[in-house]
C-alpha cells in the first residue's frame, strides 16, 4: 500500500486566473515590515530546551521580548 | 523533550490553527523491555505506518476520546542493544509515547519512549531554529542598535507558518472586505495553488504576500479557476487589520452574485 504523502511532501503548482498590480502605498511585503509590526506579526522558530514545558518556554519568550501575548504551535511534553 | 517549537508573537498567534494541520516529525529513541531482532522490529514499525488509533493520556489537557491519527512515515534508523532509533512523520496531536508503548505491545516484549526530539513542526525545521539564548542576545542587540535586520535573526513573518497551506492571491480591491470577514468571490481571485479541495483550509494572501486571512474553500482549485462569479471561500480567521488596504466596498452591500 503506498504510504500517505506528508504535508511537506505535497507539490503544488500555481494557477494564474488574472493579472493585476499591487499599490506600494498600502501594506508591506512580510520581509519588509517595520520593527514593531515585524514583532507583532512574527513567529520564532525556537529550539526548545529540555526541562521546562512548552508553555513555560513560550512565557519566557514573551518576557524576554516584552510582549503582551504569545502562543505556540504544538506542545512538546517534558 | 526538545526540538522545534514555533512561538507565535501577539497577532501571529492567530495562525496556530494552521500549524496544527501541518504535521510534525520526530526522532525517537524507544527502549525495548526485552531483546528483539532488527528484522522483527523493522516489521512491526512498518505496520504502524498508516492510520492508528489513540486515546490521549491523562496528563493532556484535551478530551480523552479515542481518535485516529495518520502516521506518514516511520523509518527505522538503527538498533543498539534494546535501544531503537527511528524517525517518524505524523499528524499533529499524535502521542509518540503511546506509539512506542503500542509498538512494544505488538512486539510482545513491551517498550517505552526513552527520548524524543521534534525535528519538524509544519514548515519549521531544525535548520534555522534559534535558542532562547539567541533570542535574548539578538533582542538586546536590537535594543542597542535599532537595526531591524537584527530582529530578523530570530523572528520570521507569520506567513512562513502558512507555507504548507494552499494559497489564494487576491486583488488589492478585495483585501479590506476580507479583513471584515466577507466571503471571497471569484472576481477577487488572481492566482491559486493546485490541490485545494472543497472544505479545505486555505491562506488568503495579497500580491505582496501578506496574509489577509485564513479561509475555507467552498469549491476546489479547478472550480475556482473556472468560476466567473460566486463565492469561492469563506473567511475563518482574519489576520490583517482593517484599513490596511483601502475600502472598496459599501456598508450594507451584499454579495449579489
Amino acid at each position: 500500500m503506498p504510504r500517505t504523502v506528508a504535508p511537506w511532501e505535497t507539490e503544488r503548482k500555481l494557477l494564474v486566473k488574472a493579472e493585476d498590480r499591487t499599490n506600494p502605498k498600502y501594506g508591506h511585503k512580510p520581509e519588509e515590515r517595520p520593527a514593531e509590526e515585524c514583532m507583532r506579526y512574527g513567529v520564532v522558530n525556537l529550539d526548545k530546551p529540555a526541562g521546562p514545558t512548552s508553555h513555560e518556554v513560550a512565557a519566557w519568550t514573551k518576557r524576554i521580548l516584552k510582549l503582551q501575548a504569545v502562543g505556540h504551535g504544538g506542545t512538546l511534553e517534558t | 523533550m526538545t526540538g522545534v517549537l514555533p512561538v507565535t508573537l501577539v497577532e501571529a498567534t492567530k495562525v496556530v490553527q494552521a500549524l496544527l494541520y501541518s504535521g510534525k516529525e520526530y526522532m525517537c529513541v524507544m527502549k525495548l523491555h526485552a531483546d528483539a531482532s532488527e528484522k522483527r522490529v523493522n516489521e512491526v514499525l512498518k505496520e504502524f505506518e498508516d492510520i492508528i488509533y489513540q486515546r490521549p493520556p491523562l496528563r493532556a489537557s484535551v478530551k480523552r476520546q479515542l481518535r485516529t491519527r495518520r502516521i506518514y512515515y516511520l523509518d527505522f534508523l538503527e538498533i543498539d542493544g534494546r535501544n531503537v532509533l527511528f524517525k517518524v512523520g505524523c499528524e499533529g496531536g499524535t502521542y509518540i509515547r503511546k506509539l512506542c508503548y503500542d509498538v512494544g505491545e505488538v512486539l510482545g516484549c513491551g517498550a517505552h519512549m526513552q527520548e524524543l526530539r521534534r525535528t519538524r513542526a509544519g514548515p519549521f525545521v531544525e535548520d534555522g531554529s534559534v535558542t532562547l539564548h539567541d533570542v535574548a542576545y539578538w533582542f538586546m542587540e536590537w535594543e542597542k542598535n535599532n537595526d531591524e535586520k537584527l530582529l530578523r535573526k530570530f523572528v520570521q513573518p507569520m506567513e512562513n507558518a502558512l507555507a504548507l497551506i494552499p494559497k489564494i492571491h487576491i486583488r488589492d480591491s478585495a483585501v479590506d472586505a476580507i479583513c471584515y470577514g466577507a466571503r471571497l468571490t471569484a472576481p477577487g481571485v488572481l492566482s491559486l495553488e493546485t490541490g485545494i479541495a472543497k472544505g479545505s483550509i486555505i491562506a488568503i494572501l495579497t500580491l505582496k504576500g501578506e496574509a489577509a486571512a485564513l479561509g475555507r474553500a467552498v469549491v476546489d482549485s479547478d472550480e475556482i479557476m473556472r468560476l466567473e462569479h460566486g463565492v469561492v471561500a469563506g473567511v475563518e480567521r482574519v489576520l490583517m487589520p482593517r484599513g490596511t488596504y483601502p475600502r472598496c466596498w459599501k456598508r450594507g452591500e451584499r454579495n449579489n452574485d
Side-chain angles (χ1 to χ4, degrees):
Chain A
M1 196 185 76
R3 71 162 178 83
T4 332
V5 178
W8 47 92
E9 295 166 337
T10 310
E11 282 174 20
R12 295 185 200 279
K13 286 196 275 285
L14 189 71
L15 302 171
V16 179
K17 191 177 160 77
E19 302 266 350
D20 201 353
R21 281 173 307 181
T22 179
N23 194 329
K25 222 167 78 171
Y26 311 114
H28 298 271
K29 281 202 196 140
E31 330 74 77
E32 291 169 10
R33 286 186 175 123
E36 222 225 283
E37 248 187 77
C38 166
M39 289 277 271
R40 287 179 61 82
Y41 293 92
V43 183
V44 179
N45 181 357
L46 198 73
D47 187 341
K48 178 190 168 302
T53 64
S54 297
H55 184 263
E56 283 172 327
V57 168
W60 293 349
T61 311
K62 182 177 120 165
R63 197 156 33 97
I64 293 169
L65 300 177
K66 304 173 187 166
L67 299 170
Q68 321 106 280
V70 295
H72 64 81
T75 304
L76 247 185
E77 53 159 285
T78 359
Chain B
M1 309 306 120
T2 67
V4 177
L5 180 71
V7 178
T8 53
L9 310 180
V10 202
E11 303 295 334
T13 307
K14 295 174 191 149
V15 305
V16 151
Q17 178 194 4
L19 277 174
L20 265 35
Y21 286 109
S22 299
K24 313 274 194 294
E25 186 191 75
Y26 300 89
M27 286 285 267
C28 176
V29 176
M30 174 176 64
K31 186 71 176 273
L32 305 173
H33 298 167
D35 297 316
S37 72
E38 184 176 321
K39 180 168 175 285
R40 183 79 186 113
V41 170
N42 232 309
E43 272 169 10
V44 174
L45 286 177
K46 274 290 167 262
E47 276 185 62
F48 282 80
E49 213 178 53
D50 201 344
I51 298 176
I52 62 167
Y53 292 88
Q54 287 192 336
R55 192 185 305 272
L58 272 161
R59 61 171 13 189
S61 41
V62 86
K63 186 169 175 206
R64 297 199 64 217
Q65 62 177 96
L66 193 66
R67 55 192 203 184
T68 60
R69 281 297 181 271
R70 188 154 244 142
I71 305 295
Y72 303 121
Y73 50 85
L74 225 181
D75 300 333
F76 168 90
L77 292 173
E78 69 178 86
I79 185 165
D80 180 23
R82 291 184 186 177
N83 289 317
V84 178
L85 178 70
F86 66 84
K87 184 161 78 165
V88 56
C90 58
E91 208 180 321
T94 308
Y95 290 91
I96 306 300
R97 192 182 288 278
K98 184 63 165 69
L99 179 69
C100 290
Y101 176 87
D102 289 342
V103 168
E105 293 295 281
V106 175
L107 273 171
C109 57
H112 68 268
M113 183 178 84
Q114 182 78 359
E115 204 178 311
L116 189 72
R117 180 166 170 79
R118 188 150 71 195
T119 50
R120 178 190 272 281
F124 298 107
V125 291
E126 276 185 293
D127 252 341
S129 65
V130 294
T131 62
L132 276 168
H133 287 108
D134 294 330
V135 171
Y137 176 75
W138 291 115
F139 184 67
M140 210 167 61
E141 287 294 297
W142 172 74
E143 280 189 313
K144 273 194 280 179
N145 302 311
N146 242 296
D147 181 6
E148 260 139 51
K149 282 203 276 297
L150 295 168
L151 277 185
R152 287 191 196 107
K153 293 268 186 189
F154 65 91
V155 183
Q156 298 185 27
M158 66 178 179
E159 285 77 4
N160 289 6
L162 306 176
L164 302 179
I165 308 279
K167 297 164 201 53
I168 295 185
H169 289 264
I170 62 173
R171 298 177 191 279
D172 280 9
S173 55
V175 178
D176 197 50
I178 296 295
C179 297
Y180 276 84
R183 288 170 296 175
L184 177 64
T185 58
V189 176
L190 289 174
S191 64
L192 60 140
E193 288 182 328
T194 53
I196 298 174
K198 180 175 169 178
S200 63
I201 201 163
I202 53 159
I204 300 171
L205 310 180
T206 68
L207 276 180
K208 295 188 186 77
E210 308 146 290
L214 281 177
R216 201 166 282 276
V218 296
V219 287
D220 64 27
S221 294
D222 294 329
E223 194 67 0
I224 299 174
M225 273 300 274
R226 204 186 60 79
L227 286 173
E228 299 269 297
H229 45 253
V231 177
V232 298
V235 164
E236 284 224 336
R237 202 75 160 88
V238 174
L239 299 171
M240 179 184 274
R242 300 168 175 180
T244 310
Y245 279 72
R247 176 188 289 211
C248 297
W249 54 281
K250 292 188 281 288
R251 234 182 252 285
E253 187 177 296
R254 290 173 125 267
N255 284 325
N256 284 319
D257 295 313

